[in-house]
């Protein structure tokens, strides 16, 4: 019998190499947006450098209109507590014929909160927010396409820009999620079954269970069930009586629901203007928000954010009109502030810094930017005034100013103060501070902090060794700029990568004109007379390929490097040599695809080193390159693993399109110089640290700690036969009657499906294999405080996110036997093997929340033999697919939906969060002859024994 659908009721020059792969996510500290007296300030909307200037005439007015309308929507949705006051639209540097209000100061596309860019092939023209973190964590950015903003047809499907922006802002700022279902999603379906409850919160099993639309609204919805690809086609139903995966709900136009905005645009109604709270929230709905935020309402999560916590920004009468300015990115002004104190002699820090700074000036600093050099010890002095980089002669002149005569104390504030004075009157103001010591002379960092912040100067910091000033991360965090660290025995090229990252923050060029780092060796020390190696040039890169070989001593290289093409022929012509930075450079205008060989003759002095990097432009400027980033998802100012989980996140994208199946390894260098580099295989499988399967974001928890201090990060990404570019979801099914399909618009043939729930749609028939490729990227540093001792186990198993009830065997000797499937968590988050499990079955979701799990009635426990758990293979390393039989000793009512969840435990007793909530129906029992019933019992028992052993 088909159940009746219910709506949701109210319920609780080639010498300048810009490395794009270092930038978009890996080095940004956080958004600069602040909520001050109810108004959001410093909101940046970035227009991609990949978009032509012809888009500006229509885009800029559309953005302004969206912001003004969205400010009113936000004011209503936040109950008169917030609006948009100060917004900057930053246009590309190349848009020289577009009117602007002023020059950009800190604004850039790469660090913008809302990015207007070409479509992601998965989302197409649907706005979305990238959220790699957990509930309450801020997102990376909001993405909208020019077509969405300019063409009204997309507003008809995805909602008007003003209301959609507020929804996306909620995801980005407060870390909340959708309150809708997704077609075909195994965790967040379009419809779900909701048991009726009595006054005590227990299920009234005498009443029939009815299904509901998976939304959170404060009143009943009216609408119809139809196939998503054709509104005229009636739905088909599963054997449980639920609509199948291709069935969606089309709400009527006229609705009375006021909440929740996170159910928009599925509930396409002008009346939907509020976020749900504890009184209107449907905590039983199988939404992404309920799953990830443990059943709390959106408003409850918002009230835990500093924007509103402790009654911050209380309600006001009326919002102000948003102030919107158009700004253009301009050439950067840099001041290098270098530590020349006596401690810089330790471990040759001064010599290493000199080489790295000189190489940056000679080869990487952007053409037409300006740079000054300040040295400090007990006082500060000027090595070079602000000078525009307009040619090689200027580069060489500046590089020769960096000497190695260091002595005296450490007054970081003195160096910063001089840098602030040099940048007076400039627009794009940047300081790069490099130091190794604690402050012991006035002025201090704290003495100039307020002035730096008030003048909107970006201060990037680099800590050399383990004793650098503790305020470095605070300085970077307050100016929203990256922080880096290099230990004294670093082999990963972290010092040079930090300089590269400072340059790449200012690139503001299209991806088609961005250099991509495809290879980087560690420091190579060998007594052999020659050294040979290879690198791979893939099909997407190769234009202006640049090979660089660096040496700490030019006499160590007897004969400069040579390159051999994939076909075996040697590249003619000598390498260009820079005798200041000890760098050999070979440029290949069009590099063939395949493996290239390089070779160099050395002095056989193993105390000396060489180090090679290879970069190239995309092979075709109009074809987006494969770009990677890596970062720690944690505050750079410091975090204790005992108080907060630390994620490592890497993105692998071709333009804006995700790449599946890449091999991603993150290398974390600890502060302890005696500790080895830590390796993490990052995964895009939707379990453990990974938020969504197949979105091109590869994740892992950081679980290894070699003491407190600063950790640096780097990632190596490889593509092979299993890697592919996701070019979008599968097409809709076709039917003989497809010609009668009624379109909602003359411009779109079908209704777009909202994306994405727990998985990203993927069509192997249209996906593009990447072939073999390599990418290297680096991120900013992380300061770890109060790490666990080597023998201290404080990290619990990670949350299981894909629990399913695979089979129900019905009553056996001990009760009702269920087979559960899930992906095993680790011992420490997603590392190692969990030691124990607790399973519960209930008719009501509150029993299966993090708060209610331990307090649920004993009758909800699912039973199993401890020996069966130990011998079943369930106690398997993280990432293993496991199955296990458990027994429910209570009575199950046919036709009723039941809920199941688990907790994992490690050998130290640390418990995971409660898993996702899985559900199942007990189907109607058939009346069978006695002999048939007995036979089925034997088969079920045999199956149960089999599953418990495999």
């Amino acid at each position: 019998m088909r159940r009746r659908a219910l709506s949701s009721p109210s319920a609780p020059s080639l010498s300048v190499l810009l490395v794009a792969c270092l930038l978009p996510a890996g080095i940004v500290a956080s958004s600069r947006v602040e909520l001050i007296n109810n108004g959001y300030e410093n909101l940046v909307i970035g227009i991609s450098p990949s978009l032509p200037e012809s888009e500006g005439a229509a885009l800029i007015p559309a953005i302004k209109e969206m912001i003004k309308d969205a400010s009113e929507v936000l004011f209503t949705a936040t109950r008169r507590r917030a609006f948009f006051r100060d917004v900057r639209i930053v246009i590309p540097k190349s848009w020289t014929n577009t009117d602007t209000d002023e020059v950009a100061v800190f604004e850039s596309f790469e660090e913008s909160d809302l990015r207007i860019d070409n479509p992601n092939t998965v989302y197409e023209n649907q706005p979305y927010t990238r959220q790699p973190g957990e509930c309450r964590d801020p997102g990376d950015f909001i993405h909208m396409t020019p077509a969405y903003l300019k063409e009204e047809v997309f507003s008809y499907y995805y909602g008007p820009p003003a209301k959609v922006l507020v929804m996306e802002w909620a995801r980005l700022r407060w870390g909340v999620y959708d309150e809708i279902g997704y077609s075909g999603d195994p965790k967040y379906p379009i419809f779900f079954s909701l048991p009726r409850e009595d006054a005590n919160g227990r299920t009234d099993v005498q009443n029939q269970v009815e299904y509901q639309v998976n939304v959170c609204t404060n009143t009943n919805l009216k609408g119809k069930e139809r196939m998503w690809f054709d509104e005229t086609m009636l739905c088909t139903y599963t054997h449980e009586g639920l609509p199948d995966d291709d069935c969606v709900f089309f709400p009527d136009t006229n609705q009375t629901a006021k909440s929740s905005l996170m159910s928009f645009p599925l509930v396409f109604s002008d009346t939907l203007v509020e976020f749900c709270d504890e009184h209107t929230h449907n905590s039983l709905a199988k939404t992404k928000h309920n799953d990830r935020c443990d059943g709390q309402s959106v408003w409850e999560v918002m009230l835990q954010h500093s924007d509103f916590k402790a009654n911050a920004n209380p309600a006001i009468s009326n919002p102000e009109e948003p102030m919107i300015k158009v700004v253009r990115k301009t050439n950067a002004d840099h001041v290098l502030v270098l530590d020349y104190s006596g401690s810089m002699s330790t471990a040759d820090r001064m010599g290493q810094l000199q080489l790295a700074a000189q190489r940056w000036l000679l080869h990487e600093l952007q053409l037409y930017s300006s740079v000054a050099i300040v040295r400090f010890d007990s006082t500060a002095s000027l090595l070079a005034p602000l000078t525009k980089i307009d040619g090689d002669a200027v580069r060489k002149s500046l590089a020769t100013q960096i000497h190695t005569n260091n002595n005296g104390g450490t007054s970081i504030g003195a160096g910063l103060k001089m840098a602030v004075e040099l940048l007076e009157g400039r627009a794009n103001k940047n300081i790069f501070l490099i130091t190794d010591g604690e402050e012991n002379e006035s002025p201090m960092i704290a003495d100039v902090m307020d002035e730096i912040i008030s003048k909107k100067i970006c201060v990037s910091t680099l800590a050399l060794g383990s004793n650098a000033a503790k305020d470095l991360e605070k300085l970077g965090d307050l100016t929203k700029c990256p922080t880096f660290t290099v230990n004294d025995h670093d082999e990963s090229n972290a010092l040079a990568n930090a300089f590269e990252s400072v340059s790449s923050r200012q690139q503001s060029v299209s991806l088609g004109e961005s250099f991509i780092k495809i290879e980087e060796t560690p420091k190579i020390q060998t007594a052999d007379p020659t050294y040979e190696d290879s690198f791979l040039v893939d099909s997407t890169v190769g234009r202006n390929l640049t090979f660089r070989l660096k040496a700490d001593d030019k006499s160590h290289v007897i004969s400069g490097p040579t390159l051999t093409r994939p076909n075996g022929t040697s590249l003619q012509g000598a390498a260009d040599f820079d005798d200041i930075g000890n760098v050999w450079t070979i440029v290949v205008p069009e590099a063939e695809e395949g493996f290239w060989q390089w070779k160099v003759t050395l002095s056989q002095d193993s105390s000396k080193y060489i180090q090679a990097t290879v970069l190239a432009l995309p092979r075709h400027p109009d074809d987006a390159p494969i770009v990677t980033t890596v970062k720690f998802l944690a505050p750079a100012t410091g975090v204790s693993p005992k108080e907060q989980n630390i994620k490592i996140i890497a993105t692998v994208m071709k333009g804006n399109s995700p790449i599946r199946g890449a091999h991603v390894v993150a290398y974390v260098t600890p502060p302890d110089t005696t500790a080895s580099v830590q390796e993490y295989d990052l995964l895009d499988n939707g379990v453990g640290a990974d938020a969504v399967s197949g979105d091109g974001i590869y994740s892992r928890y950081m679980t290894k700690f070699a003491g407190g201090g600063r950790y640096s990060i780097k990632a190596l990404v490889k593509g092979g036969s299993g890697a592919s570019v996701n070019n979008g979801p599968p097409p809709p099914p076709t039917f003989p009657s497809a010609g009668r399909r009624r379109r909602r618009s003359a411009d779109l043939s079908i209704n777009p499906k909202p994306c994405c729930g727990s998985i990203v749609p993927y069509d192997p028939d249209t996906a593009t294999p990447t072939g073999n490729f390599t990418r290297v990227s680096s991120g900013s540093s992380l300061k770890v405080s109060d790490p666990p001792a080597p023998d201290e186990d404080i990290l619990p198993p990670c949350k299981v996110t894909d629990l399913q009830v695979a089979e129900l065997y019905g009553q056996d000797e001990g009760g009702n036997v269920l087979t559960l499937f899930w992906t095993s968590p680790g011992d420490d988050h997603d590392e190692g093997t969990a030691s124990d499990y607790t399973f519960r079955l209930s008719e009501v979701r509150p029993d299966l929340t993090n708060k209610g799990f331990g307090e649920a009635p004993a009758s909800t426990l699912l039973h199993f033999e401890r020996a069966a758990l130990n011998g079943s293979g369930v106690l398997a390393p993280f990432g293993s697919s496991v199955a296990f039989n458990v027994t429910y000793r209570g009575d199950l009512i046919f036709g009723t939906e039941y809920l199941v969840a688990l907790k994992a435990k490690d050998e130290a007793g640390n418990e995971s969060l409660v898993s996702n909530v899985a559900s199942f129906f007990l189907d109607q029992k058939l009346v069978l002859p006695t002999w048939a019933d007995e036979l089925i019992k034997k088969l079920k028992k045999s199956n149960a024994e089999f599953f418990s052993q495999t």
Side-chain angles (χ1 to χ4, degrees):
M1 179 177 68
R2 200 181 96 188
R3 295 177 175 84
R4 176 172 58 87
L6 294 179
S7 57
S8 297
S10 175
S13 87
L14 301 176
S15 63
V16 186
L17 299 180
L18 306 175
V19 190
C21 61
L22 296 177
L23 175 63
I27 64 172
V28 180
S30 62
S31 171
R32 289 182 170 84
V33 176
E34 295 180 283
L35 184 59
I36 301 173
N37 296 327
N38 301 95
Y40 282 110
E41 300 183 4
N42 299 326
L43 172 63
V44 178
I45 300 175
I47 298 178
S48 171
S50 297
L51 298 178
E53 188 168 10
S54 57
E55 293 273 18
L59 271 181
I60 292 173
I63 294 170
K64 289 182 175 181
E65 181 182 3
M66 174 180 66
I67 289 296
K68 290 177 180 178
D69 293 343
S71 187
E72 294 283 351
V73 175
L74 179 65
F75 190 66
T76 300
T78 58
R79 308 181 187 192
R80 308 197 321 275
R81 296 179 68 171
F83 61 89
F84 294 124
R85 176 185 288 124
D86 173 43
V87 180
R88 310 296 176 93
I89 303 171
V90 58
I91 64 174
K93 190 190 301 184
S94 60
W95 286 22
T96 55
N97 295 318
T98 301
D99 291 337
T100 60
D101 297 301
E102 57 188 45
V103 175
V105 179
F106 59 83
E107 303 88 354
S108 69
F109 171 77
E110 293 81 8
E111 298 179 9
S112 56
D113 305 288
L114 166 58
R115 303 181 186 181
I116 314 301
D117 201 357
N118 292 313
N120 178 311
T121 52
V122 172
Y123 289 90
E124 297 178 326
N125 287 293
Q126 175 190 329
Y128 67 93
T129 300
R130 192 160 80 184
Q131 293 179 271
E134 306 291 347
C135 182
R136 302 176 192 84
D137 287 342
D140 287 341
F141 58 83
I142 301 167
H143 180 279
M144 290 183 178
T145 67
Y148 170 72
L149 290 172
K150 295 188 304 178
E151 300 176 28
E152 189 175 356
V153 61
F154 294 111
S155 295
Y156 186 74
Y157 288 97
Y158 303 126
K163 187 173 285 189
V164 169
L165 176 57
V166 173
M167 294 166 52
E168 299 302 335
W169 182 254
R171 297 183 180 94
L172 179 76
R173 183 72 178 180
W174 306 310
V176 302
Y177 298 90
D178 285 347
E179 294 187 295
I180 61 174
Y182 305 88
S183 179
D185 194 280
K187 289 176 64 176
Y188 316 124
I190 294 287
F191 301 92
F192 74 101
S193 178
L194 181 65
R196 295 180 180 178
E197 298 176 11
D198 59 23
N200 296 319
R202 315 310 302 176
T203 300
D204 180 359
V205 297
Q206 302 303 317
N207 290 319
Q208 182 183 8
V209 178
E210 308 208 1
Y211 65 82
Q212 293 188 352
V213 183
N214 197 11
V215 295
C216 183
T217 54
N218 64 316
T219 63
N220 291 339
L221 295 179
K222 292 177 286 187
K224 60 189 177 184
E225 302 158 24
R226 295 291 186 271
M227 304 302 269
W228 72 269
F229 47 82
D230 191 341
E231 282 186 54
T232 66
M233 291 186 64
L234 296 175
C235 291
T236 56
Y237 296 81
T238 67
H239 68 282
E240 293 96 353
L242 287 171
D244 69 16
D245 288 346
D246 285 326
C247 183
V248 298
F249 185 77
F250 291 96
D252 293 345
T253 303
N254 297 319
Q255 303 286 350
T256 60
K258 295 181 65 177
S259 66
S260 168
L261 265 178
M262 302 312 292
S263 294
F264 190 85
L266 176 62
V267 186
F268 206 106
S269 173
D270 291 339
T271 65
L272 215 62
V273 295
E274 297 178 350
F275 297 110
C276 60
D277 59 22
E278 65 272 24
H279 303 296
T280 59
H281 181 55
N282 185 354
S283 62
L284 303 175
K286 295 182 180 179
T287 62
K288 193 171 186 176
H289 181 79
N290 274 338
D291 178 48
R292 304 209 58 157
C293 296
D294 200 34
Q296 284 193 316
S297 69
V298 171
W299 187 249
E300 288 174 287
V301 174
M302 290 167 57
L303 290 180
Q304 297 168 48
H305 192 279
S306 58
D307 286 351
F308 308 118
K309 190 175 183 180
N311 202 35
N313 296 289
I316 58 175
S317 299
N318 295 294
E320 301 169 23
E321 184 79 9
M323 180 176 63
I324 307 171
K325 292 185 178 181
V326 178
V327 300
R328 181 188 292 111
K329 186 79 173 177
T330 188
N331 293 322
D333 296 303
H334 298 275
V335 180
L336 278 181
V337 179
L338 308 179
D339 189 345
Y340 273 74
S341 62
S343 59
M344 286 291 289
S345 297
T346 305
D348 193 31
R349 292 171 188 164
M350 198 70 248
Q352 296 294 327
L353 174 58
Q354 180 192 43
L355 269 181
Q358 288 175 333
R359 290 165 179 170
W360 180 68
L361 291 166
L362 291 166
H363 303 287
E364 291 150 8
L365 186 58
Q366 192 171 14
L367 194 64
Y368 305 123
S369 59
S370 297
V371 64
I373 307 171
V374 172
R375 58 157 286 167
F376 69 88
D377 42 50
S378 299
T379 59
S381 60
L382 185 65
L383 295 182
L386 269 174
T387 307
K388 180 177 286 188
I389 304 296
D390 58 7
D392 289 344
V394 171
R395 292 179 183 277
K396 290 180 179 179
S397 175
L398 287 168
T400 57
Q401 302 304 311
I402 301 178
H403 58 80
T404 58
N405 300 322
N406 62 297
N407 59 71
T410 305
S411 175
I412 298 175
L416 289 173
K417 189 173 180 63
M418 180 173 286
V420 171
E421 293 169 355
L422 289 167
L423 292 170
E424 187 67 37
R426 300 285 179 150
N428 190 350
K429 304 182 285 287
N430 301 271
I431 294 174
F432 190 20
L433 168 65
I434 300 132
T435 182
D436 78 331
E438 293 282 4
E439 298 177 283
N440 53 31
E441 300 273 358
S442 294
M444 307 286 193
I445 292 175
D447 298 325
V448 293
M449 187 91 74
D450 289 344
E451 186 178 11
I452 287 171
I453 295 169
S454 67
K455 294 186 175 181
K456 296 183 177 180
I457 301 174
C458 168
V459 183
S460 302
T461 65
L462 172 60
L464 295 173
S466 58
N467 297 316
K470 306 304 181 186
D471 277 348
L472 289 184
E473 284 79 11
K474 183 179 179 181
L475 186 59
D477 182 65
L478 289 173
T479 64
K480 306 306 178 188
C481 291
T483 60
F484 306 94
T485 188
V486 179
N487 73 29
D488 286 330
H489 298 290
D490 178 71
E491 299 294 329
S492 66
N493 205 34
L495 183 56
N497 287 335
F499 274 96
E500 289 173 357
S501 296
V502 169
S503 295
S504 60
R505 289 187 67 252
Q506 302 294 338
Q507 60 188 351
S508 192
V509 295
S510 68
L511 286 177
E513 295 301 328
S514 300
F515 276 89
I516 308 298
K517 184 180 289 187
I518 60 178
E519 186 65 59
E520 180 178 79
T521 70
K523 292 180 179 178
I524 300 165
Q525 295 178 283
T526 178
D528 293 336
T530 60
Y531 185 86
E532 299 182 44
D533 207 340
S534 64
F535 58 88
L536 173 65
V537 178
D538 62 82
S539 61
T540 68
V541 294
R543 191 163 47 98
N544 286 346
L545 179 137
T546 303
F547 174 86
R548 284 229 170 94
L549 184 72
K550 306 172 187 177
D552 58 342
D553 186 339
K554 61 184 177 183
S555 64
H556 180 47
V557 178
I558 304 302
S559 177
T562 59
L563 294 183
T564 302
R565 301 179 187 273
N567 63 7
T569 61
S570 296
L571 191 69
Q572 299 300 314
D576 177 62
F577 177 59
D578 151 32
D579 61 356
I580 298 176
N582 297 337
V583 179
W584 289 259
T585 303
I586 302 175
V587 177
V588 184
E590 290 288 342
E592 298 92 325
E593 181 181 353
F595 282 96
W596 288 64
Q597 305 290 325
W598 63 275
K599 182 178 181 180
V600 63
T601 304
L602 303 174
S603 67
Q604 299 181 260
D605 183 351
S606 61
S607 68
K608 307 297 182 182
Y609 76 83
I610 56 172
Q611 191 268 329
T613 59
V614 184
L615 308 100
L617 288 170
R619 193 170 296 276
H620 305 289
D622 296 331
D623 184 21
I626 296 172
V627 178
T628 68
T629 66
V630 66
K631 67 176 180 178
F632 295 109
L633 197 63
T637 49
V639 62
S640 168
K642 298 178 181 180
E643 299 175 357
Q644 180 178 332
N645 297 338
I646 303 171
K647 281 188 179 183
I648 300 170
I649 302 289
T651 64
V652 188
M653 314 288 285
K654 188 177 189 299
N656 290 320
S657 301
I659 291 180
R660 294 165 50 106
H663 182 217
V664 184
V665 180
Y667 299 92
V668 176
T669 301
D672 183 353
T673 58
T674 64
S676 59
V677 173
Q678 303 158 357
E679 295 187 18
Y680 294 87
D681 286 318
L682 307 188
L683 304 173
D684 185 16
N685 58 358
V687 299
D690 194 56
V692 179
S693 174
D695 62 354
I697 302 175
Y698 294 72
S699 314
R700 206 70 184 257
Y701 287 109
M702 184 175 174
T703 57
K704 308 163 191 172
F705 303 96
R710 298 174 172 102
Y711 290 71
S712 62
I713 190 168
K714 182 176 180 177
L716 174 62
V717 180
K718 293 183 178 181
S721 59
S724 61
V725 182
N726 189 342
N727 290 321
T734 57
F735 295 89
S737 60
R740 299 197 303 271
R741 179 179 302 149
R742 181 164 63 88
R743 300 182 181 183
R744 298 182 71 183
S745 164
D747 300 305
L748 292 179
S749 59
I750 60 170
N751 303 318
K753 297 171 69 174
C755 187
C756 295
S758 62
I759 57 175
V760 171
Y762 174 75
D763 184 2
D765 293 332
T766 60
T768 305
T770 64
N772 294 324
F773 72 87
T774 60
R775 295 291 185 270
V776 181
S777 62
S778 301
S780 55
S781 64
L782 171 73
K783 186 160 72 173
V784 173
S785 61
D786 192 23
D791 58 348
E792 186 180 11
D793 187 349
I794 54 96
L795 301 180
C798 60
K799 173 182 175 178
V800 170
T801 59
D802 60 350
L803 177 67
Q804 298 179 62
V805 181
E807 186 65 79
L808 175 68
Y809 292 117
Q811 281 201 324
D812 210 330
E813 287 83 351
N816 296 278
V817 180
L818 290 79
T819 300
L820 307 180
F821 276 79
W822 68 94
T823 301
S824 59
D827 177 297
D828 296 335
H829 296 323
D830 53 9
E831 187 74 28
T833 304
S835 302
D836 198 3
Y837 288 94
T838 302
F839 307 87
R840 288 192 185 274
L841 178 150
S842 180
E843 308 94 337
V844 292
R845 196 184 189 284
D847 286 343
L848 305 180
T849 62
N850 287 308
K851 179 180 179 181
F853 194 88
E855 302 171 356
S859 60
T860 63
L861 281 172
L862 293 171
H863 299 272
F864 58 91
E865 293 293 332
R866 187 63 49 189
L869 182 67
N870 294 330
S872 64
V874 169
L875 302 181
F878 167 77
S880 304
S881 296
V882 296
F884 189 59
N885 283 350
V886 291
T887 300
Y888 181 62
R889 293 177 180 169
D891 293 328
L892 296 178
I893 305 301
F894 293 107
T896 300
E897 184 183 40
Y898 292 94
L899 309 175
V900 180
L902 65 78
K903 271 191 172 186
K905 187 184 294 185
D906 65 16
E907 73 279 0
N910 299 308
E911 282 192 322
S912 72
L913 295 175
V914 176
S915 71
N916 65 295
V917 177
S919 63
F920 70 94
F921 283 88
L922 184 59
D923 295 332
Q924 184 174 357
K925 186 175 182 179
L926 299 176
V927 178
L928 298 175
T930 303
W931 66 267
D933 192 56
E934 291 297 324
L935 178 58
I936 289 174
K937 285 183 179 180
K938 290 180 180 179
L939 290 172
K940 288 179 177 178
K941 184 175 181 180
S942 175
N943 285 340
E945 292 172 349
F946 172 77
F947 275 103
S948 69
Q949 297 172 13
T950 61

